[in-house]
Amino acid sequence: MLKLMLACCKVYISESRNKAALESIEQAAKLFSEAAIVNKFEDVTYNRVGYTVVSKLAPKPSSNSHPLKSTVFAMVKAAFENIDLDMHSGSHPRLGVVDHICFHPLASAPLDQVAEIAKSLAGDIGSDLQACSPYLFIWSCTRRGKDT
């Protein structure tokens, strides 16, 4: 019997008041039917939105072509194209347009496979968008969470 393997990505974007920008980000996510936004949290005071995106993981991993990675990349790209931080105000400290992206395994998904997707996305954001330098937390940077 095959076990269900899911991956989750939380994407925090420094915007909640510009409805046109949020619509563009959400439309970008809808281009990938194998991943879905399952939750959206808007904090108007902070002027920040958090999306939770989920997709299945394939039994044979491939970090280069994964619907979760493609969806999140499209959302990040749309955010960069539609949000101007010079016009932004909010009480939450922010690092940029896209403030934080974190991946989590769900169900019986292996953490190593999800970490590979995170590393691949960070590489694509850094090289293709050239808008930021992604920072990876320890598990994604090293093998099994230990320095190598």
Side-chain angles (χ1 to χ4, degrees):
M1 183 170 143
L2 291 175
K3 293 181 180 180
L4 181 62
M5 296 193 318
L6 299 171
C8 168
C9 181
K10 302 271 224 167
V11 183
Y12 296 94
I13 297 172
S14 296
E15 184 58 68
S16 69
R17 300 174 191 153
N18 181 338
K19 299 304 177 192
L22 297 179
E23 182 64 27
S24 295
I25 293 163
E26 292 161 23
Q27 286 299 319
K30 290 178 183 177
L31 296 173
F32 303 92
S33 61
E34 293 180 37
I37 295 174
V38 297
N39 188 49
K40 175 183 176 183
F41 173 74
E42 292 180 66
D43 190 320
V44 177
T45 303
Y46 277 11
N47 198 7
R48 187 179 197 216
V49 64
Y51 292 101
T52 304
V53 185
V54 174
S55 76
K56 290 182 183 178
L57 289 177
K60 295 186 182 198
S62 169
S63 63
N64 289 330
S65 62
H66 189 275
L68 185 58
K69 179 185 124 175
S70 300
T71 302
V72 173
F73 181 85
M75 293 172 74
V76 168
K77 185 174 187 227
F80 286 165
E81 292 170 348
N82 290 282
I83 297 170
D84 180 0
L85 280 185
D86 289 336
M87 304 300 293
H88 187 277
S89 67
S91 62
H92 187 273
R94 59 198 175 275
L95 298 174
V97 169
V98 178
D99 200 41
H100 182 94
I101 301 172
C102 57
F103 286 84
H104 306 277
L106 300 175
S108 61
L111 182 56
D112 288 348
Q113 187 175 351
V114 177
E116 286 301 316
I117 295 168
K119 285 193 287 190
S120 182
L121 175 67
D124 288 354
I125 289 171
S127 65
D128 296 352
L129 299 181
Q130 298 178 356
C132 67
S133 299
Y135 175 81
L136 294 169
F137 290 98
I138 191 71
W139 192 277
S140 297
C141 297
T142 62
R143 183 172 170 78
R144 299 192 198 284
K146 299 176 184 174
D147 291 331
T148 54

